[in-house]
Amino acid sequence: MRTHTALNNGDVEILKSYQEFASDVLSGLSGDVKFLPCKYIYDERGSRLFRKIMELPEYYLTRSEIEIFQMHGEAIAGLIGIENCSIVELGAGDGKKTRILLKQLQDMALPFHYFPVDISESAVNRLTSELIEQFPALKINGIISDYFEGLRRHSHLNRNRKVVLFLGSSLGNFDPAGLDNFLSRLWNELNDGDLVLIGFDLKKDVDLINTAYNDSSGITEQFNLNILRRINDELGGNFDPGKFRYYGTWDAFCSAVKSCVLSTCRQTVHIEDLGRSFEFEAWEPIHTESSYKFSEEDIETFALKNGFDVIRNFYDKKRYFVDALWQVRK
Ligand code: AVI
């Protein structure tokens, strides 16, 4: 007789992501240079803090990209909406910028189906219900999954030409090898003629960049510290976030803002679920995020090297940010 309870698919997914989190935290805190992948900042609280960051006066990125959609929405819609297409948005979040594009496509009576993909169930559910209210005729299927699983699930649902949106400088959070890996996997999942629209934050005055990642209200600090709070909540850690502080600054040699949380004193942190304690020296960093910035030449090189043709770049007025439209060449 079976004495255990069978796990359903949802439970298996939760167990898998718990195990992945635990193993990434274990390896990240065991190395000589401590490191935690930035994707773990985004639980419910981390996603809420990120939404607040996007509203900050210092964080120019979101405003610049919104301006791009306001200024060039008609041109973008005209280029992507030429036939019945599937718009698959990777990491859709609150869809703030995308709404401008969806409205434009609808106003131009261009037929499309929208598939927002996000790892956060609450983000997908919130976005889907808000969009149905805002655009009652919208064809929308939310997909709760990581990026590539989302693309694969979309392909089971629909065979239309794909337009993949990857907005908001999310690509800037990959290190150079991760970025190439992401673009080549993306190319593999797509067909000849499919389109991608990717947001890149451009290199600019470093003071402006440093200010964007060091806001006066301390939201960026709370956002980075959230990874410690999440370890406490989900893995039984005893981090005292008051004994860590955020430090994020421009690294001119890598062209990235390197963010970390610094242990302000010598301390030991225990993580129950890992059955391990970790020693911290005073002022020892845990790397939490890199935010790379790019030149126009970098962006063109990424496209060509990974099998995409550049269709057009769309800039904001100050040329702080670019949304690059590429086409898959096979
Ligand atoms: C999500 N990502 C593009 C943001 C960035 O700018 O790197 C995350 C962020 N970190 C601090 N502020 C915003």
Side-chain angles (χ1 to χ4, degrees), residues 42 50 53 59 61 168-170 173 213 220 223 289 291:
Y42 299 87
F50 183 56
I53 288 179
Y59 195 72
L61 290 82
S169 193
S170 301
N173 294 131
Y213 291 84
T220 309
F223 172 75
E289 189 181 55
S291 302

Side-chain angles (χ1 to χ4, degrees), residues 64-197:
S64 304
E65 204 175 24
I66 288 176
E67 191 177 288
I68 292 174
F69 280 98
Q70 285 166 343
M71 280 168 52
H72 305 290
E74 193 174 340
I76 299 173
L79 285 165
I80 67 176
I82 43 178
E83 57 190 71
N84 201 355
C85 67
S86 287
I87 299 183
V88 186
E89 180 165 12
L90 306 181
D94 68 356
K96 197 165 173 187
K97 293 149 258 177
T98 322
R99 285 165 209 246
I100 306 171
L101 187 61
L102 299 180
K103 173 151 188 340
Q104 189 66 54
L105 286 156
Q106 285 210 332
D107 289 352
M108 291 163 76
L110 297 165
F112 66 96
H113 196 137
Y114 177 53
F115 296 87
V117 177
D118 206 289
I119 197 79
S120 155
E121 183 173 352
S122 58
V124 172
N125 291 341
R126 190 182 317 116
L127 179 63
T128 311
S129 52
E130 282 177 16
L131 287 179
I132 289 170
E133 207 175 306
Q134 191 179 352
F135 305 103
L138 181 70
K139 289 197 258 168
I140 176 168
N141 279 90
I143 301 179
I144 302 155
S145 79
D146 66 29
Y147 301 147
F148 290 104
E149 175 60 25
L151 270 174
R152 255 167 262 133
R153 279 201 225 159
H154 157 272
S155 303
H156 288 302
L157 292 169
N158 190 303
R159 302 232 156 266
N160 288 345
R161 192 169 69 113
K162 283 194 261 309
V163 178
V164 174
L165 307 183
F166 196 44
L167 307 178
S169 193
S170 301
L171 206 62
N173 294 131
F174 290 110
D175 63 21
L179 186 146
D180 273 328
N181 179 269
F182 174 85
L183 289 177
S184 68
R185 285 183 71 189
L186 183 59
W187 184 90
N188 268 313
E189 293 295 331
L190 299 177
N191 298 316
D192 188 41
D194 284 346
L195 294 168
V196 298
L197 183 69

